[in-house]
Amino acid sequence: MTTLRSDAAAVPSIDLDPYAPEHLVDRTAFLTAVRETAPLVHLGAHDVFATGRFDVVREVLANWQQFQVGAGVGLANFHTEVPWRPPATPTEADPPAHDAPRRVLTDVLGARTLRRLRETWQAEADELVDRVLAGGGEVDAMADLASAFPLKVFPDAVGLPPDRRDDLLAYGDLVFNAFGPRNALFERSAARLGELSGWITSLCARENLDPAGFGAQIWAASDREDITAEQAPLVVRSLLSAGIDTTVHGIAWILHAFATHPEEWDRLRAAPELARRAFDEAVRWASPLQVVFHTTAEPVELAGVRLGKHRKIMLLLGAANHDPRRWEDPGRFTLDRDPSGHLGFGMGLHQCVGQHVARMEAEVLLTALARRVRRLEPAAPPRRGVNNTLQVWETLPLRLTK
Ligand code: HEM
């Protein structure tokens, strides 16, 4: 306890609760307060440290030896608390346990796979946009585009059956709420915890996966003993936890960005090859995955402060991606910017292993839209959703004009 007090007393304390409903609907005030108060602050409400400075977040992510993930990438500290589910791998595993599952995913989700899938995904995206336009072009882009497209192509590629796709979103919502405290949001999604967890576990079993998909390839890696048979279903599960809601909301954010920045939409239409850069700029601008926690392995110095062992640090990716020390006019969404180096996909050892998959999903959908849609505009005020970890939309009414 003495150690905790001494490291906490060495930095300014912030009296805001990031999980209070008003900060979840709009995190700007909280993120700005943390980032502009000091390189590192202490959050009394949860007895954790927090940083929103680009350099400090980057330093923590780069130093996987001293800032680890094995105690969980959410608020709960697995050194002292029991995880709500078996910890994720590779997401919540440190080397050496991290490395084999990570290598398998890098291979399964690699360039060869993406080349093989691109044509099919582009055709799916073209067909979806044609269908939406045939229906008159008034859509809830959250449901009809941002959810519909990833929920078709990604689970197909994993090798999941076609039913209950919306429940994949409900599971992701639960997982990312569970990275926060046991608040009303968690309780709301946890009402389905037993049912959804059991269903997800059954989806990850070898016999329920299509032999041509990512899931079967992960199991095949266990036959080669690249990973163990115990790890295989957890690695499949990592795709279902980390790979769906993140991408759905990333795509929702870029559609919102274009609908509210018509001049940037015109630029994309003139040069659809900018789709990739545009998506990265949207991931910087909106940071769909707002926050991850890493934990000190041993006493260590960070931003001039000596932190104790097993201390959780809240890494505010959304604040770092808007740090004016790193980004010029950070609140502006613009295709002029080179967004590379943003922290929306993390950095270092645990940097998102699915980022190229997410980019390709966004790229083919944007390309399909840019080829067909002259104007993309809000049809009614959109409604923000809330999640303890993600930055989400509930509805996004748009009008698409040919
Ligand atoms: C890791 C964000 C899409 C699978 C991460 C991390 C971030 C992130 C920030 C690092 C977490 C940390 O440092 O602790 C995102 C965003 C996405 C996205 C914003 C979409 C826009 C995906 C997709 C997949 C995926 C499509 C799967 C195909 C993973 C996995 C990890 C990870 C397995 C853990 C990697 C490791 O620990 O080595 N993601 N992600 N993500 N992501 Fe993503």
Side-chain angles (χ1 to χ4, degrees):
M1 204 58 203
T2 327
T3 331
L4 301 192
R5 272 205 210 94
S6 64
D7 62 4
V11 295
S13 185
I14 295 238
D15 197 20
L16 299 174
D17 180 358
Y19 299 104
E22 66 273 19
H23 293 307
L24 292 177
V25 174
D26 183 352
R27 290 177 164 95
T28 316
F30 171 75
L31 299 181
T32 309
V34 171
R35 190 185 57 229
E36 299 311 321
T37 297
L40 190 68
V41 304
H42 183 254
L43 299 181
H46 300 285
D47 187 26
V48 292
F49 292 90
T51 177
R53 294 275 173 97
F54 183 88
D55 285 348
V56 181
V57 173
R58 206 171 178 286
E59 182 182 339
V60 171
L61 292 173
N63 185 349
W64 55 266
Q65 294 92 336
Q66 286 175 301
F67 300 99
Q68 300 190 332
V69 297
V73 292
L75 177 65
N77 190 333
F78 300 167
H79 292 299
T80 51
E81 293 167 69
V82 181
W84 69 278
R85 61 172 192 176
T89 187
T91 325
E92 294 178 319
D94 295 299
H98 164 268
D99 300 343
R102 169 80 192 202
R103 265 196 305 275
V104 168
L105 282 181
T106 303
D107 180 45
V108 169
L109 306 173
R112 201 163 16 104
T113 304
L114 296 183
R115 267 197 307 275
R116 175 170 65 76
L117 287 171
R118 178 177 282 274
E119 215 174 297
T120 317
W121 285 13
Q122 187 64 65
E124 293 279 3
D126 290 345
E127 205 183 303
L128 175 64
V129 174
D130 282 339
R131 211 162 49 235
V132 159
L133 288 171
E138 291 258 347
V139 293
D140 173 5
M142 187 54 221
D144 302 336
L145 294 169
S147 303
F149 184 64
L151 283 179
K152 168 74 180 121
V153 295
F154 184 70
D156 278 3
V158 174
L160 304 187
D163 59 325
R164 296 188 66 176
R165 293 278 162 106
D166 281 342
D167 279 347
L168 293 171
L169 277 186
Y171 181 69
D173 189 51
L174 164 62
V175 167
F176 286 105
N177 274 330
F179 286 141
R182 300 294 170 257
N183 58 4
L185 268 183
F186 171 77
E187 296 303 336
R188 192 187 66 189
S189 41
R192 297 188 63 195
L193 192 149
E195 172 224 339
L196 286 175
S197 299
W199 171 65
I200 288 288
T201 303
S202 76
L203 287 183
C204 298
R206 184 170 214 163
E207 61 275 19
N208 295 330
L209 290 160
D210 186 292
F214 301 157
Q217 288 172 258
I218 291 168
W219 275 101
S222 77
D223 295 338
R224 294 191 302 271
E225 297 184 3
D226 293 343
I227 52 173
T228 67
E230 288 71 40
Q231 284 172 320
L234 291 178
V235 178
V236 180
R237 196 191 68 183
S238 78
L239 298 181
L240 309 186
S241 303
I244 298 177
D245 296 50
T246 46
T247 312
V248 163
H249 291 289
I251 291 176
W253 274 104
I254 191 150
L255 295 176
H256 172 69
F258 278 127
T260 49
H261 296 75
E263 69 295 347
E264 300 303 292
W265 180 246
D266 289 341
R267 291 179 65 186
L268 182 75
R269 284 181 53 233
E273 66 279 6
L274 287 175
R276 217 179 163 73
R277 168 188 284 222
F279 184 61
D280 264 281
E281 168 65 350
V283 173
R284 179 202 68 82
W285 184 63
S287 307
L289 178 42
Q290 279 281 308
V291 47
V292 287
F293 289 80
H294 288 205
T295 307
T296 59
E298 295 293 338
V300 62
E301 193 170 314
L302 180 66
V305 179
R306 186 87 182 152
L307 298 178
K309 180 178 175 173
H310 296 170
R311 296 295 263 151
K312 285 238 141 181
I313 306 164
M314 187 180 206
L315 303 172
L316 297 167
L317 306 178
N321 281 338
H322 280 240
D323 187 346
R325 297 159 192 80
R326 167 65 178 80
W327 307 98
E328 203 183 310
D329 202 0
R332 189 161 162 246
F333 168 80
T334 170
L335 302 191
D336 283 335
R337 189 191 307 279
D338 174 5
S340 56
H342 72 76
L343 301 175
F345 287 117
M347 224 279 300
L349 188 81
H350 295 278
Q351 189 179 40
C352 183
V353 70
Q355 60 185 294
H356 303 298
V357 176
R359 285 198 184 98
M360 196 166 93
E361 289 179 58
E363 197 183 342
V364 295
L365 185 60
L366 287 174
T367 306
L369 287 163
R371 284 185 191 143
R372 293 165 174 78
V373 174
R374 190 165 44 83
R375 282 198 8 234
L376 184 70
E377 56 196 340
R383 221 176 33 240
R384 286 287 304 276
V386 279
N387 180 280
N388 282 332
T389 306
L390 301 174
Q391 183 100 303
V392 303
W393 287 101
E394 200 164 293
T395 63
L396 207 52
L398 296 186
R399 186 176 306 112
L400 278 49
T401 313
K402 279 201 256 188

